[in-house]
Amino acid sequence: MSVLIYAENADGKFKKSIFEAVSYAKAIADQNNTNLVALSIGNVAADELVALGTYGAEKVLNVNSDKLKSFVNQAYASVIAEAAKAQGADIVVLSNSFSGRGLAPRIGVKLEAGVADGAVALPEENGGKFTVKKTAFSGKAFAVVELTSANKVIALTPNSYKVVEIGGSAQVEDFAVETKESDFKQMLKNIVRSTDKVSLPDAEIVVSGGRGLKGPENWGMIEELAGLLGAATACSKPVSDADWRPHSEHVGQTGIAVSPNLYIAIGISGAIQHLAGVSSSKVIVVINKDAEAPFFKVADYGIVGDAFEVVPKLIAAVKDYKASA
Amino acid sequence: MKVLVCISNVPDTTTKITFTDNNTQFNTNGVQFILNPYDEIALARAVELTDGGKGSVTVINVGDASTEATVRKALAIGATDAVRVNAKPHDAWFVAKQIAEYVKQNPFDLTLTGRESIDYNGSKVAGMLGELLDIPSVSIIKKLDATDSDATVEREIEGGKEVLTIPFPFVAGTAEGVAEPKIPNMRGIMSARTKPLTVVEPVEVKSTSEIVSFETPAPRGQVTLVPVDDTAKLVDLLHNQARVI
Ligand SMILES: Cc1cc2nc3c(=O)[nH]c(=O)nc-3n(C[C@H](O)[C@H](O)[C@H](O)COP(=O)(O)OP(=O)(O)OC[C@H]3O[C@@H](n4cnc5c(N)ncnc54)[C@H](O)[C@@H]3O)c2cc1C
Ligand SMILES: Nc1ncnc2c1ncn2[C@@H]1O[C@H](COP(=O)(O)O)[C@@H](O)[C@H]1O
């Protein structure tokens, strides 16, 4: 019995959401008095792999074959399930990233495991019941789900578990697996990454704009504020529907659900569908000229005022703070 | 081209979510149920792809008789026919098993799901179906173009996208961008009444998960308002009090 964490890389690097997932998996391994094994697929440098030990991985299985250089959902799922079997791992943890959402259900079927997708807390084991808390109703609630199968797959929501550095170094081993030709039907044509920007689902700070900003030409100040804070930018649904901003920035019930440490909502009314996707943010700041805007009811801090006046002032204040820090 | 669209019946997006029976049951009292918004987008794209005699669109729902209005709505939007597996959807595994069973008997080129159901948010049915049928699956797509033998999709990744070509048959979970939802017109609504809706009985499935209880998020405290002219104060609070910057 052991715990296996699939450490997904982006262009050969591990991101913070993976350190969270490794820390989380380590805590589960500790709960079960067992060890944690990490699995990496693709081309990742040795020192990067060893560094997973910092977060509690004792061993890293490294799968680095030409065929598996870039992500192939079906093939990666097979490799992860094979690694779990080879290690005798009965709990497989991964990040509930875009790729993770493709992998978790396939691994679940392969291992005949119940899947807890979008987990937000450590599992609890009480009287033989293994339960995990996960998001439900698009952020309006949580569900506590019991996994009743012997094997279990858990996909952790980014930004819901703190990175814990315990400071070890992992032993790296090459792991060879047979792959099936039929797992490689999909053909990758192209990857487009906007490298200069913070990715929204992983972001610790999100600066978001709504219809109150009047038009796409006014997003300069949103991007400037986001740039200063190292934040990702987001928007409400009508903003992306009107093509002021790309669909990938739309947050809410029918967009991306985010749970950053800080969510700054500017010119957004706070409709129930918008709140659904952002209400699990740790701290919410609302800037709106209407003191009655529903968003203020769920905000921690607020400024009642015109965004075109407040945001430039806020930018100046952040600059001052950074200059003095 | 034969397309299957998996549709779920979910609480309307304006629903205030509450629970009964000591937080173990979702309170459906007064709740209106709708076609899952992502499934609506999948259906709209399926109808576009097969428009003008280029194929057919079947919708499938795992649900009891209470979901019929949603299934009829899908027919009104433009599905050719509908299947309802007559059972309460226990979890994604149960749903995927039922749909896989149907697809094994009635093969499709392309199977679409929504990226997730807005009640359970699992994003699981597409992947489970792909695995059960041993065909490719792609979790969240923003664009879908098809030929007779394959489709090219844009898959979302953190901070970007991947463009993939995948031969039929495969399964994809659709999100915004794939199509605009279609509002049923009068002709659609009339013809939906006579389009075939087949009810099939479920196969037995050993479950792997159970919902034990629900929780609602802790309410936030009072908002702290800062005057317009004192943005420095806000920065100070975020740094020293909230400790988020
Ligand atoms: C099925 C369905 C799903 C939906 N899903 C989503 C979703 O996922 N995400 C989402 O966001 N919405 C969603 N919506 C839409 C949602 O109901 C709201 O319509 C939407 O969130 C409103 O966007 P908004 O706040 O930007 O615009 P508005 O409601 O128009 O609000 C604009 C706000 O800006 C303020 N304002 C105006 N001018 C200024 C100024 N100069 N300075 C400061 N403030 C100003 C106004 O006081 C107002 O509060 C969905 C709707 C439906 C029906
Ligand atoms: N009861 C159901 N019947 C048919 N399809 C479903 C059902 N539940 C979920 N689905 C499909 O699976 C997708 C993902 O659901 P989920 O895995 O629950 O997030 C939905 O968007 C639907 O397309």
Side-chain angles (χ1 to χ4, degrees):
Chain A
M1 183 196 173
S2 71
V3 178
L4 182 81
I5 160 82
Y6 166 57
E8 165 189 346
N9 73 81
D11 283 338
K13 296 269 180 251
F14 297 122
K15 288 195 294 195
K16 184 176 149 265
S17 53
I18 295 307
F19 303 142
E20 291 166 0
V22 176
S23 305
Y24 176 82
K26 170 65 178 165
I28 299 177
D30 287 348
Q31 281 179 348
N32 290 285
N33 297 315
T34 180
N35 62 322
L36 176 65
V37 179
L39 170 71
S40 168
I41 310 177
N43 194 5
V44 183
D47 56 343
E48 191 78 10
L49 295 172
V50 170
L52 290 178
T54 317
Y55 312 99
E58 278 145 58
K59 184 160 83 176
V60 179
L61 305 176
N62 183 29
V63 180
N64 185 7
S65 77
D66 275 352
K67 279 193 96 165
L68 292 163
K69 246 195 330 234
S70 53
F71 181 74
V72 182
N73 191 31
Q74 226 176 330
Y76 273 42
S78 296
V79 171
I80 298 167
E82 285 312 310
K85 285 180 196 158
Q87 294 298 311
D90 51 3
I91 301 178
V92 176
V93 178
L94 60 170
S95 169
N96 202 40
S97 61
F98 289 118
S99 296
R101 285 166 179 247
L103 292 168
R106 296 199 78 118
I107 298 166
V109 174
K110 284 178 193 288
L111 299 177
E112 295 176 23
V115 182
D117 48 85
V120 294
L122 280 175
E124 287 186 20
E125 290 169 68
N126 272 326
K129 272 194 176 186
F130 184 101
T131 58
V132 186
K133 184 163 145 181
K134 62 153 288 193
T135 54
F137 296 98
S138 306
K140 291 178 188 170
F142 299 101
V144 177
V145 179
E146 181 187 0
L147 300 183
T148 51
S149 49
N151 291 329
K152 292 154 183 94
V153 175
I154 307 177
L156 177 69
T157 301
N159 274 325
S160 56
Y161 194 81
K162 273 235 288 290
V163 173
V164 183
E165 294 193 12
I166 57 168
S169 68
Q171 203 186 323
V172 179
E173 279 175 21
D174 283 333
F175 182 69
V177 262
E178 297 261 341
T179 51
K180 296 195 291 196
E181 213 36 58
S182 62
D183 272 355
F184 290 88
K185 288 191 192 118
Q186 69 175 56
M187 294 276 298
L188 180 64
K189 293 185 47 175
N190 195 6
I191 300 186
V192 186
R193 256 187 236 274
S194 36
T195 40
D196 55 325
K197 278 196 155 171
V198 182
S199 119
L200 182 55
D202 300 325
E204 288 181 44
I205 302 181
V206 174
V207 179
S208 188
R211 204 145 55 176
L213 289 166
K214 310 282 187 281
E217 66 280 4
N218 297 324
W219 247 263
M221 60 181 188
I222 301 293
E223 293 197 323
E224 186 180 358
L225 181 59
L228 283 168
L229 294 170
T233 51
C235 67
S236 66
K237 178 172 157 65
V239 165
S240 62
D241 283 347
D243 278 336
W244 296 359
R245 300 297 291 175
H247 278 308
S248 53
E249 284 196 3
H250 154 202
V251 292
Q253 181 150 19
T254 53
I256 291 180
V258 293
S259 45
N261 290 334
L262 173 60
Y263 183 79
I264 304 180
I266 304 170
I268 305 176
S269 57
I272 187 166
Q273 297 99 343
H274 186 86
L275 298 182
V278 306
S279 56
S280 57
S281 306
K282 264 142 232 135
V283 173
I284 295 179
V285 173
V286 170
I287 298 170
N288 196 304
K289 69 174 184 190
D290 175 9
E292 301 298 318
F295 223 141
F296 284 115
K297 293 208 176 67
V298 297
D300 300 287
Y301 302 98
I303 297 183
V304 181
D306 186 329
F308 297 99
E309 186 190 346
V310 175
V311 177
K313 283 185 176 157
L314 183 55
I315 287 172
V318 173
K319 281 185 180 159
D320 286 347
Y321 154 75
K322 291 189 90 169
S324 67
Chain B
M1 182 189 343
K2 286 188 69 176
V3 187
L4 180 70
V5 180
C6 306
I7 57 170
S8 52
N9 186 49
V10 297
D12 178 75
T13 56
T14 56
T15 308
K16 202 164 174 322
I17 304 296
T18 58
F19 303 100
T20 60
D21 295 358
N22 206 10
N23 283 332
T24 58
Q25 302 292 326
F26 170 51
N27 183 3
T28 55
N29 200 354
V31 173
Q32 170 144 17
F33 281 79
I34 57 165
L35 174 57
N36 189 37
Y38 298 114
D39 307 354
E40 210 171 343
I41 293 171
L43 176 60
R45 188 64 187 137
V47 170
E48 287 169 8
L49 288 171
T50 54
D51 208 17
K54 290 202 293 279
S56 62
V57 179
T58 302
V59 290
I60 188 165
N61 169 256
V62 180
D64 60 20
S66 70
T67 71
E68 291 232 1
T70 292
V71 176
R72 287 282 172 209
K73 175 163 184 206
L75 289 169
I77 289 170
T80 321
D81 60 352
V83 178
R84 182 167 65 79
V85 181
N86 189 25
K88 270 206 180 335
H90 178 81
D91 60 8
W93 169 238
F94 181 88
V95 170
K97 279 287 266 190
Q98 304 305 331
I99 299 175
E101 210 53 44
Y102 182 79
V103 175
K104 280 179 191 159
Q105 312 295 325
N106 307 273
F108 291 87
D109 299 308
L110 177 63
T111 297
L112 297 178
T113 72
R115 64 173 272 178
E116 65 189 38
S117 54
I118 63 166
D119 51 356
Y120 192 74
N121 310 122
S123 280
K124 287 193 297 207
V125 171
M128 286 181 169
L129 255 180
E131 189 61 38
L132 287 167
L133 299 168
D134 198 20
I135 59 177
S137 58
V138 45
S139 50
I140 301 183
I141 62 167
K142 299 241 146 186
K143 213 168 166 222
L144 168 66
D145 288 309
T147 71
D148 288 340
S149 57
D150 64 17
T152 298
V153 302
E154 266 182 33
R155 178 176 89 88
E156 182 147 23
I157 57 176
E158 282 73 12
K161 63 186 181 192
E162 265 179 26
V163 184
L164 307 167
T165 297
I166 315 175
F168 293 145
F170 73 92
V171 190
T174 59
E176 262 195 329
V178 163
E180 288 299 324
K182 282 196 194 326
I183 294 156
N185 57 25
M186 209 50 207
R187 221 183 73 222
I189 295 167
M190 297 303 287
S191 66
R193 295 193 193 147
T194 53
K195 283 181 180 172
L197 193 170
T198 315
V199 178
V200 300
E201 289 307 315
V203 292
E204 222 178 288
V205 173
K206 186 166 175 278
S207 81
T208 55
S209 74
E210 305 287 336
I211 292 183
V212 181
S213 62
F214 294 98
E215 291 173 23
T216 36
R220 281 173 201 266
Q222 234 358 71
V223 56
T224 304
L225 289 178
V226 175
V228 175
D229 286 320
D230 207 358
T231 50
K233 168 91 180 165
L234 177 61
V235 172
D236 179 62
L237 286 169
L238 292 177
H239 178 64
N240 288 313
Q241 189 181 68
R243 297 177 186 278
V244 286
I245 60 171

